[in-house]
Amino acid sequence: MEAGNFEKPTPDQKIFKDQCAYCFKDPHYKDGLFINLKNYHAFCREHAEIYANHTGNTLFVQYSSKKVVVEERVDGEPTSKMTKLTIDADPKYEFEDKYSVVIHPNYNQQFNNVQSVEDIAEAIQTIANCTSAERLALLSSTSNAWDADIKLITKHANLDQQDNGKRLALSGWRCEAEDCGLDENLWVNLTDGAIRCGRSQFVAEGQKTNGNGHMQEYFAATGYPLVVKLGTISSNLESVDVYSYDEDDAVIDPNLEKHLIHFGLDPAKLEKTAKSTLEMELDMNEKWEWAKCTEDGAVLEPVYGPGYTGLINTGSSCYLNSVLQALIEVKSFRTRYSDGALETLLNCPIDTIHNDFNAQFAKVVLAMLSGDYSSETDPTHNNIKPLQFKRVAAGNHPEFSTAKQQDVEEYIRFLFEKISTNSKNEVIDPTDSLRFQTWNRFEDVATQKVRYTEQEEVILRLPIPELQAVLQPIPDTEGRFSVDMNVAIRSFFDTQFVDGYKSPITGEQKGATNTVSMKTFPDYLLFQVSKFAYTNQGVQKKLDVEFEVIEDLDLSAYRGHGKKENEESLPEETQPVPAVPEIPASVRAVAGELIMMGFGENSCYRAAYYSNGNAEVATNWLMEHTEDSDINDPFVMPSGTPSARGEVDPALVASIVEMGFTAHQAKYALKQAPNVTEAVDWLFTNMDSIPLETAATGTSSDAPEPSATEAANQKTFKDGSEKYKLIGMISHMGSRPDSGHYVAHMLKDGKWVLFNDEKVALSQDPPKKLAYIYLYKRVD
């Protein structure tokens, strides 16, 4: 302590005690965790030694937790201290925690009687009583993670509290409703200090909390909205359970301490004795029996060892689990995040490690490849839960930060950009092994002049909806078809006609053609089978097709070489933008339809413009904005980027994507031009100005965002043989890519292995015809 190895925990000290900072071992492992008394971060025995040698911080509290059977109390009295009870019906268990002081390197010498060292004893007491920093991060950043809501600041931050002289005791509360008297699941109303019981809630199958809903009745009678759960109040205000009845959600009260002290409840004098509503939800969902798909109900042989680690589903996270299982088969990912993991972790400041993307990615990949969590002889601690990685990787993304199911193809694109952004100062960007470039050859039909543009990609999208004419019916099935992979690949590289294109040279509207070819061939190549088509209502529907996959591919016929000597370049279009742009025909047409329905002319043009020329979207927009003060002001076609425009028609996006562009590029272009022809034309002349997708969906910044072309110029692209072999696939079960379930099948040591979240087994019949994403490795 005198040598500077000890810091007394502050009142707002974040204490990490659920998991090792460098791996996934927890207090239930042999030797438990070692919490460093300098910074209150936890390490397993192996990593405590490494950390102490690296930093010189040698003083630890060893924290171990053992599950023991508990007997029911015959008197029925509740315990005064909150215990971490499991939800097992019979028998019941609780965790017996043990704390000792150890000094590196003498881990076998444990100091158990430290009461005479007051600061150490108080630090241990703080560690024992606190809510872990890991759980606080989950509670505060994702809030109701299981229904994908984000906890918001209440509108009652400046609540008008009654000066009724009521002062509450610091314990011994009971429900004040007549003939109730419950002493658990109690809530205090912050308007007048009334105490009532909450609603009874399910915490497990067949198991509910006690509660008669008297606080809800009290709100209905008084209208006093803001309540706090007694027993969750402590100096750590982040873990206090605050609920707003008229906002119908758990909320953040920025003036919580002031509101509590008004009725004599000083958080500094209270200790947490009950779980919050959200904590009970988390406990229940962590034990949920998630439905899993198997291969036709076959009994599969489990497989264990390095690279066979199961990933626990943390709530519709199978898309992430499947992607991680595929990526660890890519050599550059193993090199960056496994071989270099310890260096990454040690070089990351300990105070930022839990929110550092590179550190969390390294922690997950290292664990997956270690074999420590995939043991046949001791399956007690098999599988890991990449919850922290999911949170850090998603950041504040509006979709990936929720617990909703996601489209695995969209997540791959998002994750790759995140990796590249966090690899600027690194020797290896592992996504370089999968990135490739294509040539887009655009030809003006009227003049036969051409324009070549380069485009970066990470997934080659194979069209299916456009191949209806060549789909082969599958015998003995109803409405089920098959498509040959060669046909799908050929369709992607076939020349596409752009109808309505007006030649910038002759002024003739004879259209244009666009042809895609490969400029580079990466070490690993991802294919997406576009099994989803949009209905007339703009809803995605899965096509009932089987894909006749080719395991050994030769794509040499699709290599491009750029502009040929005998080709003339189509000049860049530099026509000045008129001061008042002409209203596009598609906008005029939709506005005309709305005018015929009886709406005002200016409001109709405004609705047609902000809905990208889609009649159905325009009608909905008009209904939602009828009360706008400027709805009938004279409409002038805006110039520049129409950033306020509404949702882009997914059918139009799909049409542009089929020409070889990404969904992000298509959406961005449709916000600059209202129809497919003009949007495609805009893309070929403005490709350099499109921001990266992560920039478009991330947080705002004053710094200019790099364009896709600028970013591509900073990246490197592998190039080599055009021959590939299938080594993995991600399959989807469900009607839409953002619902259902994902599993991965990977070819390892010559055998196909099924990765179904935490279930890892040898595959008897890998569904090669049904996959959504295919991973190929180059064969030199």
Side-chain angles (χ1 to χ4, degrees):
M1 292 174 66
E2 292 176 354
N5 283 286
F6 175 78
E7 291 287 345
K8 191 172 182 178
T10 60
D12 59 349
Q13 181 78 51
K14 289 186 176 180
I15 297 176
F16 296 86
K17 61 177 186 178
D18 288 351
Q19 191 177 89
C20 174
Y22 293 169
C23 69
F24 285 81
K25 292 179 180 176
D26 58 33
H28 309 300
Y29 275 74
K30 180 186 177 184
D31 295 328
L33 292 178
F34 295 82
I35 301 170
N36 191 273
L37 289 178
K38 179 77 171 179
N39 50 46
Y40 296 90
H41 288 265
F43 304 89
C44 66
R45 168 68 182 272
E46 175 189 358
H47 290 127
E49 293 188 34
I50 294 173
Y51 177 75
N53 287 327
H54 184 70
T55 64
N57 297 331
T58 59
L59 188 59
F60 296 91
V61 167
Q62 183 179 4
Y63 163 44
S64 59
S65 186
K66 182 172 64 174
K67 189 164 76 169
V68 296
V69 178
V70 294
E71 301 293 336
E72 293 284 353
R73 289 187 58 161
V74 295
D75 55 10
E77 285 295 317
T79 57
S80 59
K81 179 178 179 292
M82 180 182 67
T83 57
K84 294 176 284 186
L85 286 175
T86 65
I87 305 179
D88 302 313
D90 188 29
K92 290 185 181 293
Y93 298 91
E94 71 176 11
F95 292 104
E96 186 179 86
D97 298 342
K98 180 182 177 182
Y99 300 88
S100 306
V101 175
V102 298
I103 303 173
H104 171 85
N106 303 312
Y107 290 90
N108 293 326
Q109 184 178 1
Q110 299 172 329
F111 299 91
N112 296 307
N113 186 9
V114 294
Q115 296 305 313
S116 60
V117 188
E118 187 173 330
D119 284 347
I120 293 286
E122 289 181 1
I124 292 176
Q125 192 65 37
T126 300
I127 292 171
N129 292 339
C130 75
T131 299
S132 70
E134 296 96 329
R135 173 152 285 203
L136 283 177
L138 184 63
L139 296 175
S140 62
S141 67
T142 61
S143 182
N144 296 321
W146 302 104
D147 59 11
D149 290 335
I150 302 299
K151 190 183 286 188
L152 301 176
I153 295 177
T154 178
K155 63 184 180 182
H156 302 297
N158 298 314
L159 183 72
D160 185 16
Q161 294 183 283
Q162 294 182 6
D163 291 320
N164 54 13
K166 188 168 186 177
R167 293 294 180 269
L168 299 174
L170 299 182
S171 62
W173 310 292
R174 289 186 180 274
C175 178
E176 297 171 349
E178 188 176 356
D179 298 328
C180 183
L182 271 180
D183 60 359
E184 59 179 308
N185 189 15
L186 298 177
W187 298 73
V188 59
N189 194 292
L190 293 182
T191 299
D192 64 353
I195 295 177
R196 298 287 189 276
C197 62
R199 292 167 285 188
S200 179
Q201 292 182 305
F202 279 98
V203 294
E205 186 174 353
Q207 196 172 345
K208 298 173 70 175
T209 60
N210 290 325
N212 297 314
H214 285 138
M215 185 57 84
Q216 186 177 27
E217 294 177 5
Y218 193 71
F219 163 71
T222 64
Y224 301 158
L226 205 60
V227 298
V228 171
K229 186 173 183 180
L230 294 168
T232 69
I233 303 171
S234 71
S235 59
N236 191 338
L237 297 178
E238 288 184 3
S239 64
V240 180
D241 202 354
V242 186
Y243 188 85
S244 175
Y245 277 103
D246 61 352
E247 293 170 279
D248 193 26
D249 207 350
V251 294
I252 296 171
D253 179 5
N255 296 315
L256 178 60
E257 185 173 14
K258 170 189 168 185
H259 290 156
L260 290 170
I261 291 176
H262 183 84
F263 295 110
L265 296 173
D266 186 350
K269 298 179 181 178
L270 289 164
E271 292 186 2
K272 182 172 179 178
T273 60
K275 291 184 179 181
S276 68
T277 305
L278 180 55
E279 284 180 295
M280 290 191 292
E281 288 180 16
L282 291 173
D283 286 342
M284 180 174 69
N285 282 285
E286 285 171 357
K287 296 174 183 296
W288 190 266
E289 192 65 33
W290 295 93
K292 303 295 190 296
C293 67
T294 59
E295 295 176 19
D296 296 325
V299 178
L300 303 179
E301 178 186 347
V303 58
Y304 304 93
Y308 296 100
T309 302
L311 301 177
I312 297 171
N313 193 317
T314 61
S316 297
S317 64
C318 53
Y319 68 94
L320 178 147
N321 294 345
S322 298
V323 170
L324 290 177
Q325 297 291 6
L327 291 183
I328 65 170
E329 292 305 304
V330 177
K331 183 179 179 180
S332 56
F333 276 81
R334 296 195 300 271
T335 300
R336 167 74 184 279
Y337 294 116
S338 179
D339 298 349
L342 194 56
E343 180 182 0
T344 298
L345 292 165
L346 288 173
N347 289 337
C348 182
I350 193 65
D351 290 334
T352 63
I353 196 168
H354 298 279
N355 294 304
D356 185 272
F357 177 80
N358 289 332
Q360 291 305 314
F361 210 158
K363 178 177 176 178
V364 169
V365 174
L366 180 63
M368 292 173 69
L369 295 174
S370 69
D372 293 344
Y373 310 93
S374 180
S375 171
E376 184 174 9
T377 56
D378 181 18
T380 309
H381 301 293
N382 281 353
N383 310 318
I384 63 173
K385 184 185 296 185
L387 192 60
Q388 203 168 20
F389 170 76
K390 180 180 184 295
R391 175 182 63 81
V392 173
N396 62 354
H397 190 280
E399 287 297 326
F400 300 127
S401 62
T402 72
K404 298 176 183 177
Q405 185 63 278
Q406 303 296 334
D407 185 340
V408 75
E409 180 257 351
E410 292 180 0
Y411 186 72
I412 289 172
R413 294 183 184 278
F414 167 81
L415 186 62
F416 279 20
E417 285 300 333
K418 190 93 173 185
I419 293 169
S420 293
T421 301
N422 286 275
S423 298
K424 292 178 180 177
N425 299 321
E426 303 293 335
V427 176
I428 298 176
D429 179 350
T431 65
D432 288 347
S433 295
L434 297 108
R435 292 185 185 277
F436 59 93
Q437 287 180 300
T438 60
W439 287 111
N440 279 47
R441 181 185 183 276
F442 185 79
E443 179 178 339
D444 174 20
V445 172
T447 63
Q448 282 80 55
K449 295 182 184 294
V450 299
R451 181 186 299 128
Y452 281 85
T453 56
E454 301 171 9
Q455 186 171 327
E456 175 194 325
E457 258 299 353
V458 294
I459 300 177
L460 203 155
R461 185 177 183 272
L462 300 180
I464 299 298
E466 296 72 21
L467 302 177
Q468 301 284 355
V470 296
L471 294 181
Q472 300 296 319
I474 298 176
D476 303 321
T477 65
E478 185 175 345
R480 191 166 184 81
F481 299 87
S482 69
V483 60
D484 186 270
M485 187 175 188
N486 270 328
V487 175
I489 293 175
R490 192 160 54 244
S491 176
F492 174 82
F493 291 107
D494 274 350
T495 298
Q496 305 285 330
F497 185 72
V498 183
D499 192 22
Y501 177 76
K502 185 177 181 180
S503 172
I505 298 174
T506 67
E508 298 173 280
Q509 199 166 339
K510 291 187 175 181
T513 60
N514 183 58
T515 307
V516 179
S517 60
M518 298 288 287
K519 182 182 179 182
T520 64
F521 285 87
D523 295 340
Y524 296 83
L525 185 57
L526 285 167
F527 288 91
Q528 175 205 9
V529 180
S530 55
K531 293 184 174 183
F532 301 93
Y534 284 96
T535 66
N536 294 331
Q537 291 74 36
V539 178
Q540 277 187 313
K541 181 181 179 182
K542 192 172 186 178
L543 300 176
D544 199 8
V545 297
E546 292 184 2
F547 197 62
E548 298 296 336
V549 69
I550 301 170
E551 297 190 43
D552 296 290
L553 275 179
D554 185 351
L555 301 176
S556 54
Y558 303 108
R559 182 182 283 277
H561 301 281
K563 183 176 173 296
K564 300 175 183 177
E565 289 186 5
N566 62 343
E567 292 178 323
E568 292 187 49
S569 295
L570 184 66
E572 298 292 336
E573 298 179 36
T574 57
Q575 298 175 357
V577 178
V580 180
E582 180 185 355
I583 300 176
S586 59
V587 173
R588 292 198 303 271
V590 171
E593 294 181 33
L594 297 177
I595 292 171
M596 293 177 63
M597 297 168 62
F599 296 104
E601 179 177 338
N602 287 306
S603 64
C604 293
Y605 276 107
R606 195 164 271 108
Y609 170 73
Y610 284 117
S611 57
N612 296 294
N614 180 288
E616 183 178 353
V617 175
T619 304
N620 294 334
W621 187 96
L622 197 57
M623 295 298 182
E624 295 172 1
H625 293 78
T626 51
E627 302 299 323
D628 291 1
S629 59
D630 63 346
I631 190 70
N632 288 308
D633 289 354
F635 175 74
V636 178
M637 185 71 181
S639 59
T641 302
S643 58
R645 297 176 75 169
E647 289 296 318
V648 177
D649 185 349
L652 300 182
V653 174
S655 297
I656 296 177
V657 167
E658 298 311 327
M659 297 183 189
F661 299 98
T662 68
H664 169 61
Q665 292 167 340
K667 291 175 184 177
Y668 194 86
L670 284 167
K671 289 185 177 182
Q672 323 307 315
N675 58 51
V676 170
T677 300
E678 294 179 31
V680 171
D681 188 25
W682 186 93
L683 277 170
F684 280 110
T685 55
N686 298 275
M687 186 71 76
D688 291 357
S689 66
I690 301 175
L692 296 174
E693 186 166 6
T694 48
T697 58
T699 55
S700 61
S701 171
D702 293 334
E705 296 292 353
S707 70
T709 300
E710 289 171 341
N713 290 336
Q714 299 169 7
K715 296 170 183 172
T716 59
F717 298 88
K718 308 291 185 180
D719 194 16
S721 167
E722 304 91 347
K723 296 180 180 180
Y724 292 88
K725 179 177 179 61
L726 179 66
I727 65 166
M729 50 198 174
I730 298 175
S731 304
H732 171 265
M733 287 138 285
S735 58
R736 298 189 356 237
D738 57 355
S739 64
H741 185 62
Y742 289 97
V743 299
H745 285 79
M746 308 306 300
L747 185 63
K748 300 169 79 77
D749 299 323
K751 297 180 180 179
W752 283 99
V753 180
L754 166 66
F755 292 89
N756 182 8
D757 288 335
E758 67 267 32
K759 303 289 179 64
V760 182
L762 292 176
S763 174
Q764 292 185 7
D765 185 21
K768 297 176 184 176
K769 296 182 179 182
L770 303 176
Y772 179 48
I773 300 289
Y774 292 92
L775 174 62
Y776 281 79
K777 180 180 180 180
R778 190 194 0 249
V779 179
D780 294 321

